[in-house]
Amino acid sequence: MTLINRLCGVVTALAVTLQFNANAEAGAPQQKTQAPAYYRLMLGEYEVTALSDGTFQMDADKILTNITPKELEASLARSFLKNPVETSVNGFLINTGSKLVLIDTGSGTLFGPTLGKLLSNLKASGYRPEQVDEIYISHMHGDHVGGLSADGKPVFPNAIVRAAQQEADFWLSKAHMDAAPQERKDAYQGAMNMLNPYVSADKFKPFDGDTELVPGIRAAASHGHTPGHTVYVVESKGQKLVLWGDLMHVAAVQFPDPAVTILYDTDPAKAASQRKRVFADAAGQNEWVAGAHLSFPGIGHLRTAGSGYTFVPVNYGALP
Ligand SMILES: [Zn+2]
């Protein structure tokens, strides 16, 4: 081998090494997306699909009440969190075999681009909005009713919408909106914009108190967070799931201390007592629970821990 040939070999090897290093440094582009956010489990014979509407940054420091800033910081730190807390918004789709029931609808366009994803996740999960037979609303805050309508038309054209009569009386009343302070008027208007397309099509059917809505699903009054706040109980083949709506908002804080309340409670004392009652039931009966603001998919069990509770998220599972 001549000196020239040997030098050429060294130069080529060097070039390959440099190229390899350059590629390694550039790396694969980061994708920065999550998988479509739906999660399924079977409850007896019923199929339950948790649907994510997205997340938002909750300024717990400003909106949680009946807790000191120091206590809040300590509670969040125990869960490796700090304020603001990234918080899920979840809805739940129940297929009983004869009815397809959606419980809460997410935010639609009411709360910006990090939310409003429930519809696309419902589609990603294999269903179409026109297949939904019934929609049960835990309460009429925007992050629960915002997905009902778009541009003044129902998003779920074949669905009957149901909520507690007290909730309808409170949020769909123009007199209440007119009497409300300026900063609260939008909440009434949002509820009206979302519900009224169903009201005028005669597809809104409020109920009064604890009521069976379809076989296997019943409403259970838990008024306090709002005047008609309702949890929904799903039962099949001896298995039970209680869908909490906004019975609680910040897991890291309100499981250890259910007395912590939130600025948006219309009756904070009543909201706290309902939370304590439903938590005690859940822990005592070993039932499944699901929360609109529990970290997605927001399904699990509760057990007692000292004077409070620990939430045990569902174990990931394939479907049969
Ligand atoms: Zn909410």
PDB file of all heavy atoms in Angstrom, residues 89 139 141 143-144 225 245-246 249 292-293, ligand 1:
ATOM      1  N   VAL A  89     -58.923  16.893  32.751  1.00  0.00           N
ATOM      2  CA  VAL A  89     -60.383  16.981  32.607  1.00  0.00           C
ATOM      3  C   VAL A  89     -60.801  15.709  31.870  1.00  0.00           C
ATOM      4  O   VAL A  89     -60.320  15.456  30.754  1.00  0.00           O
ATOM      5  CB  VAL A  89     -60.808  18.241  31.827  1.00  0.00           C
ATOM      6  CG1 VAL A  89     -62.326  18.245  31.609  1.00  0.00           C
ATOM      7  CG2 VAL A  89     -60.389  19.508  32.563  1.00  0.00           C
ATOM      8  N   HIS A 139     -72.620  18.532  36.522  1.00  0.00           N
ATOM      9  CA  HIS A 139     -73.009  19.902  36.853  1.00  0.00           C
ATOM     10  C   HIS A 139     -72.666  20.772  35.658  1.00  0.00           C
ATOM     11  O   HIS A 139     -71.991  20.313  34.730  1.00  0.00           O
ATOM     12  CB  HIS A 139     -72.327  20.380  38.144  1.00  0.00           C
ATOM     13  CG  HIS A 139     -70.840  20.523  38.037  1.00  0.00           C
ATOM     14  ND1 HIS A 139     -70.014  19.467  37.714  1.00  0.00           N
ATOM     15  CD2 HIS A 139     -70.029  21.596  38.197  1.00  0.00           C
ATOM     16  CE1 HIS A 139     -68.766  19.893  37.695  1.00  0.00           C
ATOM     17  NE2 HIS A 139     -68.748  21.171  37.974  1.00  0.00           N
ATOM     18  N   HIS A 141     -70.790  23.526  35.045  1.00  0.00           N
ATOM     19  CA  HIS A 141     -69.579  24.321  34.808  1.00  0.00           C
ATOM     20  C   HIS A 141     -69.049  24.011  33.404  1.00  0.00           C
ATOM     21  O   HIS A 141     -69.224  22.902  32.881  1.00  0.00           O
ATOM     22  CB  HIS A 141     -68.514  24.002  35.861  1.00  0.00           C
ATOM     23  CG  HIS A 141     -68.774  24.668  37.182  1.00  0.00           C
ATOM     24  ND1 HIS A 141     -68.204  24.241  38.366  1.00  0.00           N
ATOM     25  CD2 HIS A 141     -69.540  25.747  37.503  1.00  0.00           C
ATOM     26  CE1 HIS A 141     -68.605  25.035  39.358  1.00  0.00           C
ATOM     27  NE2 HIS A 141     -69.417  25.943  38.861  1.00  0.00           N
ATOM     28  N   ASP A 143     -66.262  23.254  31.989  1.00  0.00           N
ATOM     29  CA  ASP A 143     -65.386  22.124  31.655  1.00  0.00           C
ATOM     30  C   ASP A 143     -66.146  20.793  31.653  1.00  0.00           C
ATOM     31  O   ASP A 143     -65.558  19.751  31.382  1.00  0.00           O
ATOM     32  CB  ASP A 143     -64.182  22.064  32.609  1.00  0.00           C
ATOM     33  CG  ASP A 143     -64.566  22.094  34.072  1.00  0.00           C
ATOM     34  OD1 ASP A 143     -65.511  22.822  34.435  1.00  0.00           O
ATOM     35  OD2 ASP A 143     -63.918  21.390  34.877  1.00  0.00           O
ATOM     36  N   HIS A 144     -67.447  20.847  31.918  1.00  0.00           N
ATOM     37  CA  HIS A 144     -68.280  19.622  31.901  1.00  0.00           C
ATOM     38  C   HIS A 144     -69.358  19.689  30.821  1.00  0.00           C
ATOM     39  O   HIS A 144     -69.771  18.643  30.319  1.00  0.00           O
ATOM     40  CB  HIS A 144     -68.900  19.390  33.283  1.00  0.00           C
ATOM     41  CG  HIS A 144     -67.850  19.244  34.336  1.00  0.00           C
ATOM     42  ND1 HIS A 144     -67.480  18.017  34.839  1.00  0.00           N
ATOM     43  CD2 HIS A 144     -67.044  20.170  34.925  1.00  0.00           C
ATOM     44  CE1 HIS A 144     -66.494  18.200  35.712  1.00  0.00           C
ATOM     45  NE2 HIS A 144     -66.219  19.502  35.785  1.00  0.00           N
ATOM     46  N   HIS A 225     -71.127  21.407  45.584  1.00  0.00           N
ATOM     47  CA  HIS A 225     -70.211  22.105  44.672  1.00  0.00           C
ATOM     48  C   HIS A 225     -71.021  23.062  43.797  1.00  0.00           C
ATOM     49  O   HIS A 225     -70.617  24.205  43.561  1.00  0.00           O
ATOM     50  CB  HIS A 225     -69.433  21.096  43.833  1.00  0.00           C
ATOM     51  CG  HIS A 225     -68.529  21.726  42.819  1.00  0.00           C
ATOM     52  ND1 HIS A 225     -67.575  22.665  43.144  1.00  0.00           N
ATOM     53  CD2 HIS A 225     -68.447  21.580  41.460  1.00  0.00           C
ATOM     54  CE1 HIS A 225     -66.947  23.056  42.041  1.00  0.00           C
ATOM     55  NE2 HIS A 225     -67.462  22.421  41.010  1.00  0.00           N
ATOM     56  N   GLY A 245     -67.838  13.307  39.067  1.00  0.00           N
ATOM     57  CA  GLY A 245     -67.886  14.692  38.585  1.00  0.00           C
ATOM     58  C   GLY A 245     -66.870  15.524  39.345  1.00  0.00           C
ATOM     59  O   GLY A 245     -65.710  15.133  39.485  1.00  0.00           O
ATOM     60  N   ASP A 246     -67.303  16.658  39.905  1.00  0.00           N
ATOM     61  CA  ASP A 246     -66.400  17.552  40.646  1.00  0.00           C
ATOM     62  C   ASP A 246     -66.574  17.425  42.157  1.00  0.00           C
ATOM     63  O   ASP A 246     -66.520  18.413  42.884  1.00  0.00           O
ATOM     64  CB  ASP A 246     -66.621  19.007  40.228  1.00  0.00           C
ATOM     65  CG  ASP A 246     -65.808  19.353  38.994  1.00  0.00           C
ATOM     66  OD1 ASP A 246     -65.278  18.429  38.358  1.00  0.00           O
ATOM     67  OD2 ASP A 246     -65.710  20.550  38.666  1.00  0.00           O
ATOM     68  N   HIS A 249     -61.246  18.111  43.477  1.00  0.00           N
ATOM     69  CA  HIS A 249     -60.482  18.721  42.376  1.00  0.00           C
ATOM     70  C   HIS A 249     -58.988  18.414  42.419  1.00  0.00           C
ATOM     71  O   HIS A 249     -58.373  18.260  41.377  1.00  0.00           O
ATOM     72  CB  HIS A 249     -60.682  20.245  42.372  1.00  0.00           C
ATOM     73  CG  HIS A 249     -62.084  20.653  42.046  1.00  0.00           C
ATOM     74  ND1 HIS A 249     -63.085  20.659  43.003  1.00  0.00           N
ATOM     75  CD2 HIS A 249     -62.666  21.029  40.900  1.00  0.00           C
ATOM     76  CE1 HIS A 249     -64.221  21.025  42.430  1.00  0.00           C
ATOM     77  NE2 HIS A 249     -63.997  21.259  41.161  1.00  0.00           N
ATOM     78  N   ALA A 292     -63.624  13.528  37.425  1.00  0.00           N
ATOM     79  CA  ALA A 292     -63.410  14.389  36.259  1.00  0.00           C
ATOM     80  C   ALA A 292     -62.041  15.072  36.311  1.00  0.00           C
ATOM     81  O   ALA A 292     -61.484  15.416  35.277  1.00  0.00           O
ATOM     82  CB  ALA A 292     -64.513  15.442  36.178  1.00  0.00           C
ATOM     83  N   HIS A 293     -61.498  15.268  37.534  1.00  0.00           N
ATOM     84  CA  HIS A 293     -60.217  15.974  37.642  1.00  0.00           C
ATOM     85  C   HIS A 293     -59.128  15.138  38.303  1.00  0.00           C
ATOM     86  O   HIS A 293     -58.096  15.669  38.708  1.00  0.00           O
ATOM     87  CB  HIS A 293     -60.407  17.310  38.366  1.00  0.00           C
ATOM     88  CG  HIS A 293     -61.343  18.220  37.620  1.00  0.00           C
ATOM     89  ND1 HIS A 293     -61.123  18.608  36.322  1.00  0.00           N
ATOM     90  CD2 HIS A 293     -62.523  18.781  37.974  1.00  0.00           C
ATOM     91  CE1 HIS A 293     -62.114  19.382  35.911  1.00  0.00           C
ATOM     92  NE2 HIS A 293     -62.987  19.499  36.898  1.00  0.00           N
TER      93      HIS A 293
HETATM   94 ZN    ZN B   1     -64.743  20.644  36.742  1.00  0.00          ZN
END
